[in-house]
């Protein structure tokens, strides 16, 4: 059994199944990562270009199904914003708070299990 990678809760190398896992087990940490991403991409030192994307980062997160294809980093997922991903995949409510109901947690865990690639290192994480 190979242990899982050690990473920060806001690791840009996180896979989609790990985001679902984080939502199920540590919703507060996922919310902290969403705030971190939002501050980085909308803050004073952001390199996000509204001209290049045709809308502000916040507008794209709240209304678009995805970001236009680009080589520019648009969020923690590098090519995708976690804030947009959680909205599109019904992980958060309208205030970007992670849904914490029992059924939501079951759905997150089921998606994490379904998407996890067991061809790589086996996950030794306990639920």
């Amino acid at each position: 059994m190979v242990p899982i990678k050690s990473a920060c809760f806001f690791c840009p190398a996180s896979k989609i199944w790990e985001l679902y896992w984080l939502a199920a087990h540590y919703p507060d940490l996922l919310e902290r990562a969403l705030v971190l991403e939002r501050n980085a991409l909308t803050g004073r030192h952001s390199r996000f270009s509204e001209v290049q994307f045709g809308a502000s980062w916040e507008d794209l997160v709240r209304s678009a199904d995805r970001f236009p294809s680009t080589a520019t980093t648009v969020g923690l997922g590098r090519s995708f914003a976690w804030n947009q991903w959680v909205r599109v995949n019904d992980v958060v409510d309208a205030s970007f708070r992670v849904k914490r109901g029992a059924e939501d947690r079951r759905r997150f865990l089921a998606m994490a299990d379904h998407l996890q690639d067991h061809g790589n290192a086996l996950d030794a994480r306990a639920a």
Side-chain angles (χ1 to χ4, degrees):
M1 182 79 87
V2 178
I4 62 163
K5 72 176 188 251
S6 173
C8 294
F9 63 91
F10 54 88
C11 179
S14 294
K15 295 178 174 41
I16 298 298
W17 75 264
E18 292 171 309
L19 299 181
Y20 277 117
W21 187 93
L22 190 61
H25 291 288
Y26 298 100
D28 291 339
L29 290 180
L30 179 55
E31 288 172 358
R32 284 177 58 190
L34 297 175
V35 169
L36 184 144
E37 179 186 65
R38 176 173 272 108
N39 288 342
L41 274 296
T42 62
R44 189 166 147 198
H45 300 291
S46 172
R47 293 191 176 121
F48 185 86
S49 171
E50 189 170 329
V51 172
Q52 177 184 356
F53 291 97
S56 71
W57 185 87
E58 189 73 37
D59 288 341
L60 288 169
V61 163
R62 290 195 174 274
S63 62
D65 288 336
R66 60 190 148 94
F67 278 80
S69 181
T70 181
T72 303
T73 298
V74 296
L76 281 173
R78 296 185 179 130
S79 63
F80 71 97
W82 285 19
N83 276 271
Q84 183 185 39
W85 180 86
V86 294
R87 179 190 58 83
V88 169
N89 290 284
D90 199 31
V91 174
V92 295
D93 62 20
S95 299
F96 286 82
R97 300 274 307 168
V98 174
K99 295 181 176 184
R100 288 172 165 80
E103 185 54 39
D104 294 307
R105 186 170 190 272
R106 278 192 291 278
R107 180 172 58 91
F108 300 155
L109 290 172
M111 287 302 295
D113 187 54
H114 174 72
L115 294 171
Q116 184 178 2
D117 181 5
H118 294 287
N120 295 329
L122 293 175
D123 189 351
R125 222 177 325 208

